Amino acid sequence: MTLRLANKELTPPVVLAPMAGITDRPFRDLVSSFGAGLVVSEMVASQEMVQAKPGVRERAELSADVENTAVQLAGREATWMAEAARQVADQGARIIDINMGCPAKKVTNGYSGSALLKTPDHALTLIEAVVEAVDVPVTLKTRLGWDDRLLNAADVARRAQDAGVQMVTIHGRTRCQFYKGHADWAAIRSVTDAVDVPVVANGDITSTETAQMALELSGAAGVMIGRGAQGKPWLLAQVSHDLYGTPVPTIPQGADLIDMVQRHYHAMLSFYGADLGLRVARKHLGWYMDEAGTAAPLRRTVLTSRDTEEVTRLLADALIQSEKVAA
């Protein structure tokens, strides 16, 4: 159940996906506390990182002693990508991931993210620059292709491997699909057949059953879980236990669940400051309350209150209403 990158081992091969505005340090730390082979930061724009734009460094902030953390970089110029990689490696990043999968228009309009699938020769210059800039393993996350007429993930992955990339993650959709339809895990097999480095399957993996199916259809060495972990930070550990026999996670319920969510809430307030922390926390609190089946009026009060003490107090009632067992 070990996925090897050079001298590093990812055990188990269940990875937290990079998600913009979600996989910040507080959430990564929480997921890691239950158990995950690797957690990946939200995408960091390389040029903004180097130029120290407000808020960017925070997205890449790492605990230096957290072994299973990767930082994902995005960009369109080799110089900025290389320098950003050097900076985050100096800050403690153990793995650098290159984003060639983000479908957002604000990213692709800048010829970054999945837009690089349309210019693989240029994409290769970015990959080579990052690999040459750092001593830590470099990985790549991308999609099946730009659209149904340009399904070039296998060729891109093969060239990336030749340039020194040590793991490739494939989201089983094209860029033009965004998140519509269902991820095509079977289509990922063309990539696993094309390269010798580990391939990780991503897209619509929300349970042990979907993780098992993705592994079987793709032939991948591991899975990456994104939206499925929203409101369920223990999900990766649960999948790891079910598939690989790792220790069974203790899924918090009742008072333990309230305590976990309150601690996550205050970790966000501490990390971002009260004003920004309040806004960032709302999405996470919303997902927790979705899982708990919180009544709409109370849910609305929790998400609109600007009084942190009131939110902390109300969370106890909001999370204990459910008779549903988290899983």
Side-chain angles (χ1 to χ4, degrees), residues 3-139:
L3 194 158
R4 183 175 293 278
L5 304 181
N7 62 338
K8 297 189 181 301
E9 295 182 350
L10 306 186
T11 305
V14 180
V15 182
L16 177 66
M19 294 180 283
I22 299 169
T23 54
D24 54 19
R25 179 174 170 181
F27 189 63
R28 295 197 307 268
D29 287 349
L30 180 56
V31 171
S32 292
S33 72
F34 286 97
L38 183 72
V39 295
V40 187
S41 76
E42 55 186 313
M43 179 184 69
V44 179
S46 57
Q47 184 172 348
E48 285 80 356
M49 172 75 191
V50 175
Q51 294 175 335
K53 293 290 181 66
V56 175
R57 289 183 184 275
E58 286 80 357
R59 288 200 290 272
E61 184 176 335
L62 305 174
S63 301
D65 59 346
V66 176
E67 178 67 27
N68 67 333
T69 301
V71 173
Q72 188 184 76
L73 297 177
R76 62 181 182 273
E77 295 183 25
T79 300
W80 294 119
M81 288 287 286
E83 182 56 30
R86 280 189 286 268
Q87 286 193 11
V88 294
D90 289 345
Q91 292 174 17
R94 312 300 178 90
I95 296 171
I96 306 294
D97 187 61
I98 298 174
N99 182 309
M100 282 181 56
C102 181
K105 289 183 179 179
K106 66 180 180 180
V107 175
T108 58
N109 287 348
Y111 306 105
S112 300
S114 56
L116 291 168
L117 287 164
K118 296 193 293 183
T119 57
D121 289 344
H122 176 62
L124 193 65
T125 67
L126 308 183
I127 293 168
E128 291 171 340
V130 172
V131 171
E132 292 172 4
V134 297
D135 294 327
V136 300
V138 175
T139 62

Side-chain angles (χ1 to χ4, degrees), residues 55-277:
V56 175
R57 289 183 184 275
E58 286 80 357
R59 288 200 290 272
E61 184 176 335
L62 305 174
S63 301
D65 59 346
V66 176
E67 178 67 27
N68 67 333
T69 301
V71 173
Q72 188 184 76
L73 297 177
R76 62 181 182 273
E77 295 183 25
T79 300
W80 294 119
M81 288 287 286
E83 182 56 30
R86 280 189 286 268
Q87 286 193 11
V88 294
D90 289 345
Q91 292 174 17
R94 312 300 178 90
I95 296 171
I96 306 294
D97 187 61
I98 298 174
N99 182 309
M100 282 181 56
C102 181
K105 289 183 179 179
K106 66 180 180 180
V107 175
T108 58
N109 287 348
Y111 306 105
S112 300
S114 56
L116 291 168
L117 287 164
K118 296 193 293 183
T119 57
D121 289 344
H122 176 62
L124 193 65
T125 67
L126 308 183
I127 293 168
E128 291 171 340
V130 172
V131 171
E132 292 172 4
V134 297
D135 294 327
V136 300
V138 175
T139 62
L140 175 69
K141 186 174 190 293
T142 188
R143 289 186 167 225
L144 296 173
W146 176 257
D147 56 24
D148 289 340
R149 294 171 297 179
L150 183 60
L151 299 172
N152 58 343
D155 181 61
V156 168
R158 186 165 44 243
R159 297 180 68 182
Q161 171 187 265
D162 292 344
V165 161
Q166 297 182 33
M167 183 178 80
V168 178
T169 300
I170 303 293
H171 184 116
R173 289 181 174 89
T174 65
R175 181 273 174 182
C176 289
Q177 284 181 270
F178 288 89
Y179 296 98
K180 297 177 182 177
H182 196 284
D184 187 349
W185 300 318
I188 298 173
R189 187 171 286 273
S190 66
V191 180
T192 63
D193 290 344
V195 298
D196 297 320
V197 297
V199 174
V200 174
N202 175 229
D204 296 340
I205 299 172
T206 59
S207 64
T208 297
E209 292 72 24
T210 51
Q212 182 66 56
M213 190 176 301
L215 288 170
E216 292 174 357
L217 291 175
S218 67
V223 294
M224 177 177 279
I225 297 175
R227 289 173 290 172
Q230 294 171 352
K232 295 183 288 186
W234 53 81
L235 179 63
L236 278 74
Q238 184 65 58
V239 170
S240 298
H241 167 72
D242 294 340
L243 295 184
Y244 302 108
T246 57
V248 60
T250 300
I251 299 176
Q253 299 179 40
D256 291 336
L257 176 63
I258 294 166
D259 179 65
M260 184 204 77
V261 175
Q262 289 175 335
R263 284 188 287 107
H264 186 197
Y265 177 57
H266 285 279
M268 288 183 281
L269 296 176
S270 176
F271 184 72
Y272 290 105
D275 289 341
L276 180 56

Side-chain angles (χ1 to χ4, degrees), residues 260-324:
M260 184 204 77
V261 175
Q262 289 175 335
R263 284 188 287 107
H264 186 197
Y265 177 57
H266 285 279
M268 288 183 281
L269 296 176
S270 176
F271 184 72
Y272 290 105
D275 289 341
L276 180 56
L278 274 169
R279 298 196 298 272
V280 171
R282 285 172 184 152
K283 65 188 77 172
H284 289 279
L285 298 184
W287 292 321
Y288 289 131
M289 289 188 288
D290 288 343
E291 287 297 310
T294 305
L298 180 53
R299 187 183 194 279
R300 189 179 310 112
T301 300
V302 171
L303 296 182
T304 56
S305 174
R306 297 190 57 82
D307 185 332
T308 59
E309 292 185 3
E310 180 185 39
V311 171
T312 301
R313 184 177 66 255
L314 290 175
L315 282 172
D317 291 333
L319 296 170
I320 212 161
Q321 290 184 1
S322 177
E323 297 179 0
K324 180 172 64 174

